[in-house]
Structure formats: structure tokens, C-alpha cells
Amino acid sequence: MPKILIVGGGYAGFYTAWKLEKWLRAGEAEVTVVDPLPYMTYQPFLPEVAAGSIEARHAVTSQRRHLKKTSVITAKVTKIDHASKTATITPELGEPWEFEYDVVVVTGGAVSRTFPIPGIADNAIGLKTIEEAVAIRDRLVSNFDRAASLPAGPERERLLTVTVVGGGFAGIEVFAELRSFASSLLEYYPQLTFDETHFHLIEAMGRIMPEVSLETSHWVIKHLAQRGAEIHLDTQLTSAQDGRIELSTGESFESDLIVWTAGVMANPAIVRTSDLPVEERGRIKTRADLRVGDDEEFIADAWAAGDISAVPDLSGGGVGGYCVPNAQHAVRQGKLLAKNIVAVLRGEEPKQYFHKNLGAVAGLGIGSGVFQSGKLAIKGLLAWFAHRGYHGLAMPSWERKFRVFWGWWNNFWLGRDIVALEAVQNPRAQFELFAARPKPPAAEAPAPAAPAAAKAAKPAEKEPVAAK
């Protein structure tokens, strides 16, 4: 059987394997997915995970549970040599080995793109993984706990100051969700006041959320300002050293929680270790039919999709002529990719990817959202329901859909869970503190005293002569 290797188990990779299981005949091909993580993360839910509205495990989908006919390998692909059709698989434990394949599908996704701003690498946290979303939530709640035990003053306000860098959809959503979450937390902390909580969003451009109209983006800014959040437009972050935020406008303030959402880039760990062609922005060159290559020629048996690929946007709505890196494209590309692979295996021609963006929807905290489709803009509660309905139904598998909707239903009656488990990031600390340890070896015994006979053998010391 032909061996199909899928590098990356995110949106595009997961959906490619999922649909291949559905469309491949028995014995037609053998599918293997390799990813360092054993689950797919539904990234549109990360802001709600950070705000405690969704349980973290419900925002991910287990590969082994839902890919029943696919071989799942939890490891990294550290090299792709398509000339010899081999990939180097490096597990967390054990030695790397060579995997021979017939067809390779590169869907390694993207990682946070940062700039050499002092303090960012040491103090900021991204929002690309479920672990980062959980850490943001736990940090915010733990900071409220710490601040409540301090007297009013600069240190308390530093703990209650949140800074988000980047005014795209991800940045605005996590910014608004955290503002909503912080406001709800104040009910449980009578020592703290609303005026002591500060939320700053920093955007280098002159507007936020380029996917929506300018009028809608202005409404979002005004809406967040009414909720006590401040957005700095045409402003660059110049330093975050030791948590001190310094802006290009000259303004500065202290912030304990810094969230970075200012851009992504194709996964360099995969792109830079393969012999597949790469375009100027570091993405794999991909045709509209999702085969690796360009309009003139393609590389046989090599496919790519998702954030790691530069797929032409035939609808004309992309940036620079290519599909933007988001979930809408990755999911649809993964589904088409599976169909195209099956078609080529059966001697048929693949179809080109075409998707016209029908709209954008964002959640801005409990009971508030924004929806934009063409000139139609919906704001407030109705848009919030549209946001939850769309993403709840888009979550893969009915098992995960049920968990997400059930969690929302419980939160409606019980409120968000405000327990922070920050200690889970260092789970052995408490155990190590009180663990009994072997006593150090006893010190060597002193040398034995000299025998009495030896003392007698020594010449007697002369007694001092008395003065006459």
C-alpha cells in the first residue's frame, strides 16, 4: 500500500487524516500522522479558555480517539528529504529513525512571530497553544489572589495590569475576554476595586481587526473603552524589560501579565529542514490544488496546507494574493486535500481550492460580540450568540461539541470557575519541599590517641629552674 505521511496534526493535518479515513477504500493507502502533541487545538477557543469560559481539555481533540484508522506518532519530524522520500522522526525519548513514505503532506502550522524587543522573550506569553491559554488564566487569577493581600499601591496595580500586544482578531478577543473575566472576579475580592485593574492593548497600525469594516472596529474600541480598557493605536512597544512597558509615545507603566499576539510565521522547525521550495515569507510554495510547487510545475507526491503553506487565494480576498493563516482556510484546505489525494491515487485530477470569506465573528466577553459579513454588521448580544454558535458547531466531532456546549450551559447557571492551578506548572515543588532525604554520611572518626607506652618512651621535659 502507498504510505501517506502527514507532518503536523493541527487543523489541516487532522482534517486531512480524518477525511482520508472516510474516503479511502480498505487497503488503498496507509496513513500516518506525526506531531509533537497528541491532540489538535481549536485555536478560536483559546481566548475563552484564557477567560475561564471553556475547560481547557474541551478545546482540544484527541488524535488517537478520533483517528481510528490512522497511525499516530507523537514525535517531531526533524527533516524531510523528499528527493529520497524519507523523513527523520525524532521522539522525545529514544533515537531518531528514518520513515519511508510515498506521499508527504506538510501541515506543520505556524508559531508566534516576535521582534527583538527588550523583555518580550523573557516576560511575555503567546496565544498559540492550549498551554499558553491556561497559563494566562492561572496567572490572572493568581495575581488577584496576590494583590488582595497587598496594601493599595503601585505593586498591587502592577499585578492587576494586563497588556496585550497586537490588535488582530486573536488580540482583541483575548483582550476583551480577559477584561470581562477580571470584572467578574472583582465580586470575589472585596479588597480590590475596578479602578485598580488596568487593561492596555498596543497596536502599531492605525486600526484594529482589519477583517471588519472601519466603522465596526471603531465601535469595538468605544465599547471596550466603556468597559475600562484602553487601546493604543499607532503605537509600538519599545521595551518590556522586567515588566515595565515602554511605548513609542513616551508612555510607560508596570504590567505583570503581557500577552503577545502580534503575528505568526510558518513553523521554521519544519520549513528549514526540508528540501521543498519556500517562498520569500518562509512558507512552502503551494499551488491552488494544494500540491507543492507553482503555476508552472509541481512536485509529485508532495502536498501542503494550512498556515505553513502559501496557497493562492482565488477569491481575490487574500493578502498579497495568498490565503491568510486562519482556521477557516486550514479546515477547508484539509478537507479538500484529502479529496485530492484520493483523486490522484485513483488517476483523477485534483480540484483547486476556492473559498470566499463569508464573514468574520468575534467574541468580546460574556454577552458581547461582533459579526461582519459584507456591509452587514451585528454587534452586542446577538453577535455573541452567533460567535458561540458558529465555533461550537465548527468544533470537530459531536463528542467535543457536546462537551463545549455542556460547559457553556453549566457556566450559565453556575458562573465561571475561578480556581487557579498555577502550581501545576511546577507540580513537584510541594513534594520536594517536604520529601525526606537520606542523611549525609557520618564524618570520619578522629584519629585514636597514642598508647601509654609510647608516651612513656618520650624524654621527660626539663622542669624550669627556680630563681635563686
Side-chain angles (χ1 to χ4, degrees):
M1 286 190 296
K3 292 184 177 180
I4 301 173
L5 173 64
I6 301 176
V7 182
Y11 290 126
F14 178 85
Y15 273 92
T16 299
W18 206 22
K19 296 305 179 182
L20 281 175
E21 290 190 349
K22 177 180 178 180
W23 293 320
L24 284 172
R25 303 188 187 108
E28 193 170 10
E30 178 183 312
V31 182
T32 300
V33 171
V34 182
D35 192 279
L37 299 173
Y39 49 78
M40 184 215 79
T41 302
Y42 191 74
Q43 293 186 8
F45 280 156
L46 293 183
E48 289 204 56
V49 172
S53 295
I54 294 179
E55 165 61 34
R57 288 182 177 86
H58 298 169
V60 300
T61 301
S62 170
Q63 295 166 358
R64 284 184 167 84
R65 176 165 185 167
H66 296 285
L67 300 179
K68 297 180 173 61
K69 302 176 185 177
T70 301
S71 176
V72 176
I73 300 176
T74 304
K76 295 179 180 179
V77 173
T78 52
K79 184 179 180 181
I80 300 174
D81 185 0
H82 193 63
S84 62
K85 290 193 174 182
T86 59
T88 302
I89 297 178
T90 304
E92 186 175 352
L93 300 175
E95 297 296 321
W97 77 89
E98 299 296 317
F99 183 95
E100 296 182 356
Y101 61 81
D102 298 290
V103 178
V104 67
V105 178
V106 184
T107 56
V111 298
S112 296
R113 181 191 60 171
T114 58
F115 305 103
I117 301 172
I120 284 297
D122 300 321
N123 299 298
I125 185 169
L127 191 67
K128 288 291 292 178
T129 68
I130 195 70
E131 292 82 5
E132 289 172 327
V134 172
I136 290 170
R137 175 189 178 279
D138 286 347
R139 172 74 71 83
L140 182 63
V141 177
S142 295
N143 279 359
F144 267 71
D145 291 330
R146 297 181 184 109
S149 63
L150 293 174
E155 179 61 18
R156 190 151 96 172
E157 294 202 20
R158 183 185 71 84
L159 290 169
L160 300 177
T161 299
V162 176
T163 303
V164 175
V165 185
F169 252 66
I172 289 296
E173 284 194 289
V174 73
F175 183 65
E177 290 285 355
L178 290 177
R179 173 68 272 184
S180 172
F181 188 33
S183 297
S184 67
L185 284 175
L186 290 170
E187 175 187 352
Y188 307 99
Y189 296 88
Q191 307 92 332
L192 307 177
T193 66
F194 181 88
D195 292 338
E196 290 178 300
T197 62
H198 305 284
F199 281 74
H200 298 270
L201 184 135
I202 304 166
E203 172 53 50
M205 297 177 62
R207 62 163 298 175
I208 61 170
M209 303 173 74
E211 297 87 349
V212 303
S213 68
L214 188 61
E215 181 185 356
T216 301
S217 71
H218 287 164
W219 179 88
V220 173
I221 294 174
K222 182 179 179 181
H223 176 70
L224 290 173
Q226 292 172 345
R227 290 163 52 185
E230 186 175 356
I231 296 179
H232 306 261
L233 298 179
D234 292 315
T235 304
Q236 295 181 352
L237 176 67
T238 59
S239 177
Q241 200 74 38
D242 298 324
R244 181 170 183 80
I245 303 298
E246 296 182 4
L247 306 180
S248 58
T249 57
E251 186 179 356
S252 65
F253 51 88
E254 300 283 339
S255 178
D256 189 74
L257 177 55
I258 306 168
V259 182
W260 180 275
T261 66
V264 297
M265 63 180 179
N267 191 335
I270 296 174
V271 171
R272 296 173 186 173
T273 58
S274 81
D275 57 355
L276 299 175
V278 178
E279 47 93 65
E280 60 273 8
R281 295 190 63 182
R283 299 171 297 181
I284 295 176
K285 288 184 179 179
T286 311
R287 293 155 51 99
D289 60 10
L290 304 180
R291 288 186 284 195
V292 175
D294 52 32
D295 292 336
E296 298 178 358
E297 61 179 346
F298 64 88
I299 298 176
D301 301 323
W303 305 77
D307 296 355
I308 202 170
S309 63
V311 179
D313 191 339
L314 301 182
S315 72
V319 177
Y322 296 100
C323 297
V324 296
N326 63 22
Q328 282 193 46
H329 285 303
V331 170
R332 288 170 174 82
Q333 287 171 9
K335 294 177 180 179
L336 178 63
L337 184 49
K339 288 184 177 180
N340 283 351
I341 291 174
V342 173
V344 171
L345 288 176
R346 297 173 184 173
E348 303 170 4
E349 286 297 316
K351 296 181 179 180
Q352 293 187 328
Y353 175 74
F354 180 90
H355 171 66
K356 185 173 180 60
N357 191 359
L358 299 178
V361 62
L364 302 176
I366 299 295
S368 181
V370 62
F371 170 80
Q372 180 86 45
S373 180
K375 295 183 178 180
L376 174 65
I378 303 174
K379 313 174 188 73
L381 182 61
L382 188 59
W384 179 72
F385 278 118
H387 162 76
R388 285 204 160 179
Y390 173 79
H391 286 299
L393 293 175
M395 186 72 183
S397 83
W398 284 105
E399 175 254 341
R400 286 293 150 183
K401 288 180 176 64
F402 182 83
R403 292 182 189 273
V404 169
F405 279 105
W406 184 249
W408 282 335
W409 177 253
N410 287 337
N411 286 349
F412 177 78
W413 296 104
L414 305 175
R416 287 182 279 201
D417 197 327
I418 67 166
V419 175
L421 299 176
E422 193 175 33
V424 77
Q425 296 167 42
N426 188 15
R428 296 189 66 251
Q430 186 78 356
F431 180 80
E432 287 183 285
L433 180 62
F434 297 103
R437 291 176 170 81
K439 294 182 179 179
E444 294 184 6
K455 289 182 179 180
K458 290 183 179 179
E461 294 182 358
K462 295 181 180 180
E463 295 182 0
V465 179
K468 291 184 180 178

